[in-house]
Amino acid sequence: MDKEQEEIQFLGIFDIYKEAYKIIFSWRKIFSQITLTLILPLSLISLAHIQLSELLFIRMNRNEIILDKTKAGTPKYKKLSDHISSEWTTFWLFKAAYFTFLLIFFLLSTSAVVYTVASIYTGREVTFKKILSVVPKVWKRLMVTFLWVFIAFFAYNTLALIVLFATLYSINSTYNADLVIGIILLSLVWQLASVVSVLEDVRGIEAMKKSKTLIEGKMWVAILVFSKHIISVFLLQFAFQNLVVHGWSLEEVDRVGYAIICLLVLLKLILFGLVIQTILYFVCKSYHHENIDKLALSDHLEVYLGDYVPLIKADVQLQQYDV
């Protein structure tokens, strides 16, 4: 990010992509280490979840079909019924474990990438050892923000359901469109709030408020970047589902090959997405004419290493400049 702060605000979608590629390529060693250590487990968990969920569903569905054909009240019926109940328990425990590990590695990956990009921007020396020492401290701040985002999503969806039942399902396409837009905006706020939680002295609901303010003015850029990333991930999962999970007509070697390709693409998508959302933060800061004091930001990052006395909040907050 060697551009002047005043120029960053003019970065368009393709400029942001170009900047992200330049950062990753220039610091490919450090990003490769982050990918292998944190993003690889995250990707494996995501794809393995699709495969294992399918296997569990097939098994449960087969047993339920057999149960429907079995006479009720017989010992065989009771045995099958107990077995299916046990399988559902296993399924929900599997889901709980999946979301737990997915969240942990997602927050760890976000912490590592945001800290790395910010360190590169401020010209700080960044090593993989430093990143590993910082990540456990940073991800706690992200967890607080995530919990508030979760509460916001829960409240939003609950309100949507209340409106749906209150109107006796007489919902038109406009309502559905507004619902989707609301979810997209909440997702955008979450993404930028994650960066804010790492780079500024706020977290939780305050980070969400700051994120919402920053997005204003660059809303369409943020929406297009977010939408393209989500669509890419969706298409990848669709390909994995059809070529690997449901690819029974293919040779086993081909399915394994497609699985490896999907894994490699997902690694790049996650890394690219995390770098882009950090760059988008700097673009939004520049758009709102908030001067990013590299020295103050560098000192703020130093706090995570435990080698620097934390600055007071007024010093850590990034200053505004007049145009």
Side-chain angles (χ1 to χ4, degrees):
M1 302 253 307
D2 51 0
K3 298 181 181 295
E4 293 294 330
Q5 293 185 29
E6 295 86 347
E7 297 177 2
I8 296 177
Q9 63 177 302
F10 300 113
L11 292 179
I13 296 175
F14 293 107
D15 295 321
I16 292 174
Y17 288 155
K18 182 179 178 181
E19 200 67 39
Y21 174 79
K22 187 190 301 183
I23 290 174
I24 294 173
F25 183 78
S26 300
W27 297 82
R28 53 188 176 277
K29 180 180 179 181
I30 198 76
F31 282 113
S32 295
Q33 292 172 317
I34 293 173
T35 299
L36 292 175
T37 307
L38 299 174
I39 299 179
L40 177 59
L42 174 63
S43 302
L44 286 172
I45 290 170
S46 180
L47 295 181
H49 167 257
I50 298 175
Q51 178 69 63
L52 293 175
S53 293
E54 182 69 17
L55 293 176
L56 288 172
F57 267 123
I58 290 175
R59 182 186 301 175
M60 290 187 296
N61 187 51
R62 182 173 62 246
N63 288 332
E64 287 181 350
I65 291 174
I66 296 174
L67 183 67
D68 290 339
K69 297 179 180 180
T70 304
K71 186 177 180 181
T74 62
K76 183 179 179 181
Y77 184 92
K78 185 178 185 304
K79 184 179 179 180
L80 273 173
S81 180
D82 292 341
H83 185 65
I84 291 173
S85 297
S86 177
E87 285 181 332
W88 275 108
T89 301
T90 302
F91 174 78
W92 288 116
L93 288 175
F94 165 71
K95 285 289 186 181
Y98 160 70
F99 283 115
T100 299
F101 284 104
L102 185 75
L103 177 61
I104 290 173
F105 279 102
F106 176 75
L107 294 181
L108 291 175
S109 300
T110 302
S111 304
V113 173
V114 172
Y115 177 84
T116 302
V117 174
S119 296
I120 293 171
Y121 177 75
T122 58
R124 288 174 51 81
E125 180 186 1
V126 55
T127 64
F128 188 61
K129 184 178 179 180
K130 277 187 177 181
I131 293 171
L132 289 182
S133 65
V134 164
V135 164
K137 302 173 185 177
V138 177
W139 88 284
K140 295 176 184 177
R141 299 173 60 86
L142 287 177
M143 176 58 78
V144 175
T145 300
F146 169 79
L147 290 175
W148 276 103
V149 171
F150 177 81
I151 292 172
F153 269 107
F154 180 79
Y156 181 82
N157 289 321
T158 301
L159 181 61
L161 287 174
I162 292 173
V163 172
L164 179 64
F165 285 112
T167 54
L168 298 177
Y169 301 97
S170 59
I171 300 297
N172 54 33
S173 58
T174 303
Y175 175 83
N176 294 328
D178 291 341
L179 184 63
V180 172
I181 291 172
I183 292 175
I184 291 175
L185 293 180
L186 271 177
S187 300
L188 287 175
V189 169
W190 176 24
Q191 284 197 335
L192 215 58
S194 297
V195 182
V196 172
S197 299
V198 177
L199 302 186
E200 300 192 23
D201 195 25
V202 291
R203 70 189 80 176
I205 193 170
E206 293 301 322
M208 292 176 65
K209 290 178 181 178
K210 184 61 182 289
S211 172
K212 180 179 178 298
T213 302
L214 287 175
I215 291 174
E216 294 173 359
K218 283 292 181 179
M219 183 69 71
W220 283 110
V221 172
I223 289 176
L224 288 174
V225 168
F226 174 76
S227 299
K228 290 183 71 174
H229 182 73
I230 290 299
I231 291 172
S232 298
V233 173
F234 173 78
L235 291 176
L236 176 70
Q237 291 179 338
F238 180 79
F240 183 81
Q241 190 91 25
N242 285 273
L243 297 174
V244 180
V245 179
H246 295 154
W248 300 299
S249 61
L250 300 174
E251 296 289 336
E252 196 68 27
V253 176
D254 294 333
R255 293 175 69 182
V256 171
Y258 285 128
I260 293 173
I261 292 173
C262 288
L263 176 62
L264 294 175
V265 174
L266 184 58
L267 288 174
K268 294 181 182 299
L269 282 176
I270 293 175
L271 175 61
F272 203 60
L274 292 175
V275 173
I276 284 176
Q277 74 181 40
T278 309
I279 295 175
L280 187 61
Y281 164 82
F282 289 113
V283 172
C284 291
K285 293 287 288 186
S286 177
Y287 177 82
H288 289 281
H289 309 308
E290 295 187 22
N291 178 40
I292 305 170
D293 189 333
K294 293 186 179 182
L295 179 59
L297 179 56
S298 179
D299 289 342
H300 180 64
L301 297 175
E302 188 73 21
V303 173
Y304 294 125
L305 294 172
D307 300 328
Y308 189 87
V309 178
L311 301 175
I312 62 174
K313 185 174 181 179
D315 294 329
V316 174
Q317 289 296 323
L318 306 182
Q319 306 293 320
Q320 267 201 340
Y321 63 83
D322 296 323
V323 178

